[in-house]
């Protein structure tokens, strides 16, 4: 077995080393201890070494696999972040364009509304000017009509007053004439000639 060969080789080594500077007894004791240790723990140590070697190999493979997986995930994450950044940039650019378009539309709407209001105000002012002109014309016509009516009434009143005055003058003349006739009649029918003559003379005068 391997242990026996190792034992014999180590014992032989112990004999050859006995010619050295060390004490042959001590060297033989150490060789015996190593032989005993090899007999007791040699197989287990070799098993442990094999297991450790396999474990190291497995750990190295696992670490390499984990490293590769991490690199892949980092690459994927980097690609994802790049895509997300591009998407965010595109969205921001599109949103900026939409806002700019919306602002232009609002500005155009305000401009159109201002034009419509100005046009409406102009129309209202034109209608108001026409209404004021018509009202002024109506007022002038009514003023002229009232003036003509006042003049006509004044003329009629003046004519009526003239007619009344003429009638009054005519009545006054008639009254004087009647008074003279009555006086003359009274003188003629009077019995006193002297008085009649005086009265007649007064009447003639």
């Amino acid at each position: 077995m391997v242990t026996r060969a190792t034992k014999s080789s180590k014992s032989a080594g112990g004999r050859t080393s006995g010619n050295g500077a060390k004490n042959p007894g001590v060297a033989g004791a150490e060789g015996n201890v190593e032989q005993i240790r090899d007999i007791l723990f040699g197989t287990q140590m070799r098993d442990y070494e094999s297991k450790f070697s396999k474990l190291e190999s497995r750990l190295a493979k696992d670490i390499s696999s984990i490293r590769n997986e991490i690199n892949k995930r980092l690459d994927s994450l980097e690609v994802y972040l790049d895509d997300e950044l591009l998407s965010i940039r595109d969205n921001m650019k599109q949103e900026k364009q939409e806002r700019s378009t919306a602002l232009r539309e609002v500005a155009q709407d305000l401009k159109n509304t201002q034009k419509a209001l100005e046009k409406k105000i102009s129309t209202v002012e034109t209608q108001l000017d026409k209404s004021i002109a018509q009202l002024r014309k109506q007022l002038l016509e009514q003023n002229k009509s009232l003036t003509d009516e006042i003049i006509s009434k004044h003329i009629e009143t003046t004519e009526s007053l003239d007619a009344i005055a003429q009638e009054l003058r005519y009545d006054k003349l008639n009254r004087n004439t009647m008074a003279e006739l009555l006086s003359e009649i009274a003188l003629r029918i009077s019995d006193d000639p002297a008085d009649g003559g005086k009265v007649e003379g007064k009447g003639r005068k």
Side-chain angles (χ1 to χ4, degrees), residues 54-107:
K54 290 180 181 179
L55 183 60
E56 287 178 356
S57 177
R58 183 177 177 183
L59 286 173
K61 290 181 180 179
D62 291 341
I63 290 171
S64 178
S65 178
I66 291 171
R67 185 181 291 111
N68 292 330
E69 184 68 22
I70 290 173
N71 290 329
K72 288 180 180 179
R73 292 191 179 185
L74 287 174
D75 292 337
S76 299
L77 181 61
E78 186 177 0
V79 172
Y80 174 76
L81 289 175
D82 290 337
D83 293 338
E84 286 295 320
L85 288 174
L86 288 174
S87 178
I88 291 171
R89 189 180 300 169
D90 293 337
N91 291 331
M92 290 179 67
K93 185 176 180 180
Q94 184 177 0
E95 185 177 357
K96 184 178 180 180
Q97 291 178 354
E98 290 177 355
R99 287 183 179 179
S100 298
T101 303
L103 288 174
R104 285 195 297 270
E105 290 178 355
V106 170

Side-chain angles (χ1 to χ4, degrees), residues 102-120:
L103 288 174
R104 285 195 297 270
E105 290 178 355
V106 170
Q108 186 65 33
D109 292 338
L110 289 174
K111 188 175 181 180
N112 294 332
T113 303
Q114 184 179 1
K115 288 182 178 179
L117 287 174
E118 290 177 354
K119 185 176 180 180
K120 190 172 183 179

Side-chain angles (χ1 to χ4, degrees), residues 2-205:
V2 177
T3 56
R4 289 180 180 177
T6 306
K7 181 179 178 181
S8 59
S9 62
K10 286 186 176 183
S11 62
R15 291 191 185 96
T16 54
S17 62
N19 295 324
K22 291 183 180 181
N23 191 356
V26 175
E30 289 179 357
N32 292 330
V33 171
E34 290 179 359
Q35 289 178 0
I36 293 169
R37 185 182 296 168
D38 185 53
I39 291 169
L40 294 175
F41 302 106
T43 304
Q44 293 180 355
M45 292 301 292
R46 283 189 292 272
D47 291 338
Y48 288 150
E49 288 177 358
S50 177
K51 288 181 180 180
F52 283 141
S53 178
K54 290 180 181 179
L55 183 60
E56 287 178 356
S57 177
R58 183 177 177 183
L59 286 173
K61 290 181 180 179
D62 291 341
I63 290 171
S64 178
S65 178
I66 291 171
R67 185 181 291 111
N68 292 330
E69 184 68 22
I70 290 173
N71 290 329
K72 288 180 180 179
R73 292 191 179 185
L74 287 174
D75 292 337
S76 299
L77 181 61
E78 186 177 0
V79 172
Y80 174 76
L81 289 175
D82 290 337
D83 293 338
E84 286 295 320
L85 288 174
L86 288 174
S87 178
I88 291 171
R89 189 180 300 169
D90 293 337
N91 291 331
M92 290 179 67
K93 185 176 180 180
Q94 184 177 0
E95 185 177 357
K96 184 178 180 180
Q97 291 178 354
E98 290 177 355
R99 287 183 179 179
S100 298
T101 303
L103 288 174
R104 285 195 297 270
E105 290 178 355
V106 170
Q108 186 65 33
D109 292 338
L110 289 174
K111 188 175 181 180
N112 294 332
T113 303
Q114 184 179 1
K115 288 182 178 179
L117 287 174
E118 290 177 354
K119 185 176 180 180
K120 190 172 183 179
I121 290 171
S122 178
T123 303
V124 171
E125 287 179 350
T126 303
Q127 292 178 354
L128 184 62
D129 292 337
K130 288 182 180 179
S131 299
I132 291 173
Q134 291 178 357
L135 182 62
R136 187 177 296 171
K137 184 178 180 181
Q138 291 176 359
L139 289 174
L140 290 174
E141 291 177 352
Q142 289 181 358
N143 188 16
K144 184 178 179 181
S145 177
L146 289 173
T147 303
D148 294 339
E149 186 176 357
I150 290 170
I151 293 171
S152 177
K153 293 293 183 181
H154 178 70
I155 293 171
E156 290 179 359
T157 302
T158 302
E159 290 178 352
S160 297
L161 291 174
D162 291 339
I164 292 170
Q166 188 175 0
E167 288 179 358
L168 290 173
R169 286 195 296 270
Y170 181 75
D171 291 339
K172 186 177 180 180
L173 291 174
N174 288 336
R175 287 178 182 176
N176 292 329
T177 303
M178 289 294 294
E180 290 178 355
L181 289 173
L182 289 174
S183 297
E184 187 176 355
I185 291 169
L187 290 173
R188 288 180 180 179
I189 63 176
S190 176
D191 292 337
D192 190 357
D195 293 334
K198 291 180 182 179
V199 174
E200 186 178 355
K202 289 180 181 179
R204 289 175 183 178
K205 287 180 181 178

